[in-house]
Amino acid sequence: MPYVAGIDSSTQSCKVVVCDAETGELVRSGSAPHPEGTEVHPDAWWDALQQAIEAAGGLDDVAAIAVGGQQHGMVCLDEDGGVVRPALLWNDTRSAQAALDLIDELGGPQPWVDAVGLVPVASFTVTKLRWLRDHEPENAARVAAVCLPHDWLTWKLSGAESLDTLVTDRGDASGTGYWSPAAGQGDLGEYRRDLLELALGHDAVLPRVVGPAEVAAHTPQGQPLGPGTGDNAAAALGLGAVSGDVVLSIGTSGVACAVAEEPVGDVTGAVAGFADATGRFLPLVATLNAARVLDAAARTLAVSHAELSVLALSAPAGAGGMVLVPYLEGERTPNKPDATGAIHGLRLETATPAYLARAFVEGMICGLADGLDAVRALGTPVERVVMVGGAARSQAVQEIASAVLGLPVTVPQPGEYVARGAARQAAWILAGGAEPPHWPLADVVETEVEPTPFVRERYASVRDLTANRI
């Protein structure tokens, strides 16, 4: 059977997986680190990709390749295809004021939701372009083309030099802030060049948006390249998420995204109305506080994560009325950047490691559940949770998530699901057809326990009783 390769160019590293195109079975893999920081020259991504390819045993024997990449990063090219300045990444917050300015100039959040399905925040590309215009006008004037990290890597893999050969997909384009997932011919959407010009100050070449299973280009060796996609859409594709599924990623931050058949828009800005990598949509909520809440709990109680799980499950649901509000780093959803965490309902009889452990886990899950509520409120069905990330391996997290969310929870074995999603897309362009090939997940743990709605009710009654940082 032919092999396909998937690439995940993430914030921290580049991962390459080579898979069997028919079954999805992992054949080999490799990785290489990226530089730290929120501003990185794209050449570093290219160097890391070459190292990861070598570590994976090369790609000479693969039949197709696709790239998944960190969303939103601003890659600006001059008329000769050179990089104008280091890319500002999604987690670079210097464009926060630019986001507020853009919202005000268009007349508030609603016009943005109507136009592109989201409200600008510092992570989105459109705000970074405004920052560039305001703070580096000479560089802004040199910009002839704007693309995203995965777009640039696909372009480099093709060996192309002309700006008009840049390509992207719906999933990544939907995170720019100047592309509409709900407008245009067919299901490919359209660019809102007026919003690009509002941000950058002038028009520029933008990558051509290609269909989910369309061959975007070829390598110099003749291997077809898929359109690629953003990391969240690639992960959903790698996990085989379908309508009704919510992918809950519990890493440094928390992400809840659902596969939807129709586009959504949230004027509050809590839910970003992204597109996915299959022609559908991917409404997404992100929180700041996820796995680090458990890190803090383990540190506070002087236990390992395995011991924390045992402690949490030894206490009753609801932790005897104790509630942790997990805003330990402020919070993005809800938008409370200066908030602090809080413990409510502590009593003498609950001042034990077990009750505290239970409260920490329940509080983290309740914070993520608020994000699921925001997605559900826009009409997107939520029937099953597919949970990934380091914290998803905890038995306490699995059982308490099912109880608090009132839904079955599926946890696949740990894996590089962004890279797997890119590889699955590569297999799709080989096979053709309306849907990507079926790649079953291995070693799946299914958890469904009795719902505990009173935990959410108690959390809702105290979650706003938090202080701001002094």
Side-chain angles (χ1 to χ4, degrees), residues 290-303:
R292 285 184 179 178
V293 175
L294 304 186
D295 293 341
R299 186 169 60 249
T300 299
L301 299 172
V303 297

Side-chain angles (χ1 to χ4, degrees), residues 53 56 71 111 165 181 189 198 221 236 245 251-252 255 257 263 268 278-280 298 347 357 373 378 394 405 424 451:
I53 289 173
Q71 288 188 268
T165 60
L198 180 67
Q221 293 74 35
D245 285 348
T252 301
V255 173
C257 55
T268 72
T278 70
R280 298 176 178 85
R347 302 195 308 272
D373 284 350
L378 297 176
S394 163
L405 300 174
R424 190 177 179 213

Side-chain angles (χ1 to χ4, degrees), residues 427-442:
W428 192 5
I429 68 172
L430 283 181
E435 296 291 336
H438 175 63
W439 282 10
L441 296 175

Side-chain angles (χ1 to χ4, degrees), residues 314-410:
S314 72
M322 189 184 349
V323 176
L324 171 82
V325 181
Y327 302 159
L328 306 189
E329 297 185 276
E331 189 47 81
R332 171 177 170 178
T333 307
N335 186 23
K336 295 186 174 185
D338 297 320
T340 59
I343 293 178
H344 300 279
L346 180 63
R347 302 195 308 272
L348 285 174
E349 58 267 34
T350 58
T352 70
Y355 279 95
L356 282 166
R358 183 87 189 196
F360 267 93
V361 178
E362 288 182 342
M364 182 197 71
I365 297 298
C366 283
L368 294 169
D370 284 348
L372 288 187
D373 284 350
V375 171
R376 189 185 281 112
L378 297 176
T380 301
V382 176
E383 299 167 359
R384 183 184 68 145
V385 173
V386 181
M387 196 160 60
V388 295
R393 305 175 197 177
S394 163
Q395 183 180 353
V397 170
Q398 294 168 15
E399 293 189 17
I400 293 173
S402 180
V404 169
L405 300 174
L407 293 166
V409 169
T410 296

Side-chain angles (χ1 to χ4, degrees), residues 411-433:
V411 179
Q413 68 175 345
E416 299 295 348
Y417 286 103
V418 174
R420 175 184 164 94
R424 190 177 179 213
Q425 185 190 77
W428 192 5
I429 68 172
L430 283 181

